[in-house]
Amino acid sequence: MSEPLLIQTKDLSVTFSIGNGVFKKQQLKAVDGISIDIPKGSFFGVVGESGSGKTTLGRALLNAVPISDGHATYDDGEVTYDLADLDGAALKDYRKRAQLIFQDPYAALSPRMTVRDIIAEPLEVMGLTANREETDARVREIAAKCRLNLEHLRRFPHAFSGGQRQRISIARALVSGPQFIVADESVAALDVSIQADILNLLKSIQQEMGLTFLFISHDLSVVAHTCDHVAVMYLGRIVESAPTRQLFKNARHPYTKALFSAIPSLDPDDRGSAQKLVGEIPSPTNQPTGCKFHTRCPYVTELCKQQEPPLVTCEEGHAVSCHRWEELQEGITA
Ligand code: SF4
């Protein structure tokens, strides 16, 4: 039996108005008609370059930016919230249930607070514990899960390495007892040797505590061993979505294949054979017509320039938005 959905979105869009009195106001559609289902207890990956809208999607699901159109719901079996319409006590409660792990472990922690105070702060701000003893007990419990010891709690952030600081950030995100965690490029600022350690920690915490993760990354290799399912975003849209294993075995969209080509290969015969990603992602304020990837796609046709391809199911659980996915699958590239 499949798991119930914790997060469900339907045609979710986030549009910002940018400009000021001097420059004409422009509409920036950062997230454009996203429909995703995130099962409870899953590790759901969102991958794309900078400017793809993945961070804005994560923030919309945390209610940190307003949803302009469409729907997003959160249902943990205890409460159900419409995320486009949260305020007052419901919003306060949702802040406890949904948390963010930041990208930069150096900027995320106040240098003037001890690790104990950094981790305890959400409990105190949200009024989740009755007294200092209860707060300290909760801080110690979560610190231990994140492999921090009592000695660490007395120190200040500058005494720690990047990996240790990220464990402090993770402990702070977990201390309120959330069900849903948005991890936004949470290992991008770390050395490769430390990334695996933090990914293993996130995965073990997720399994032990039954949490649901939205894991945002620009790097497909990072999601490979962590995520159950991956959605690939480009200019605010999902262009491909599949169970991780299926995506890695049989990616269909030219953009996904180009992202794969950015992963260094250990096989000398592989080098240089994959399609490379050329050019920059267009500005979200000046989006191309038709398929949004057409300005960079080596397989572009006139149809691609005129009509946006729908997101269609190509096999169970696997969807792709490309007019030519079937031809390309068969190796017809003219
Ligand atoms: Fe490329 Fe056309 Fe497919 Fe877009 S629809 S990814 S331009 S082949």
Side-chain angles (χ1 to χ4, degrees), residues 253-255 291 293-294 297 299-301 304 309 321-324 328:
H253 197 283
Y255 179 59
C291 171
F293 188 56
H294 88 245
C297 181
Y299 312 114
V300 58
T301 64
C304 304
S321 164
C322 171
H323 290 302
R324 303 189 67 195
L328 297 175

Side-chain angles (χ1 to χ4, degrees), residues 71-237:
H71 300 284
T73 54
Y74 167 93
D75 180 358
D76 63 12
E78 198 177 274
V79 295
T80 304
Y81 290 132
D82 174 353
L83 300 184
D85 189 26
L86 264 187
D87 56 17
L91 179 58
K92 203 171 157 204
D93 181 60
Y94 188 61
R95 295 267 180 264
K96 185 181 76 181
R97 294 170 191 267
Q99 285 284 332
L100 172 70
I101 300 172
F102 290 96
Q103 171 179 359
D104 186 349
Y106 292 90
L109 308 176
S110 168
R112 290 187 198 85
M113 294 168 77
T114 63
V115 171
R116 181 264 171 211
D117 290 347
I118 288 169
I119 299 173
E121 194 178 34
L123 295 175
E124 287 158 358
V125 170
M126 295 184 210
L128 299 177
T129 44
N131 51 45
R132 190 173 171 96
E133 287 68 38
E134 208 180 303
T135 302
D136 281 340
R138 178 69 181 154
V139 168
R140 282 198 297 271
E141 181 196 347
I142 289 298
K145 280 192 199 303
C146 297
R147 297 189 224 129
L148 296 163
N149 60 39
L150 286 181
E151 176 55 29
H152 290 144
L153 295 178
R154 286 192 276 273
R155 295 197 211 152
F156 290 86
H158 66 81
F160 295 90
S161 66
Q164 286 171 319
R165 286 182 192 214
Q166 198 56 304
R167 280 193 257 138
I168 298 166
S169 292
I170 293 167
R172 182 182 160 95
L174 294 177
V175 78
S176 64
Q179 294 292 310
F180 179 49
I181 300 277
V182 175
D184 188 359
E185 298 280 14
S186 297
V187 296
L190 304 174
D191 290 347
V192 174
S193 57
I194 309 295
Q195 285 186 359
D197 184 47
I198 296 295
L199 289 172
N200 287 339
L201 175 67
L202 291 176
K203 194 73 186 169
S204 70
I205 284 171
Q206 181 240 351
Q207 285 167 349
E208 188 188 329
M209 299 173 76
L211 305 182
T212 306
F213 271 73
L214 182 79
F215 187 82
I216 296 169
S217 178
H218 67 283
D219 184 349
L220 266 172
S221 63
V222 167
V223 304
H225 302 292
T226 324
C227 297
D228 308 307
H229 191 104
V230 180
V232 180
M233 282 186 75
Y234 190 80
L235 271 181
R237 309 277 284 177

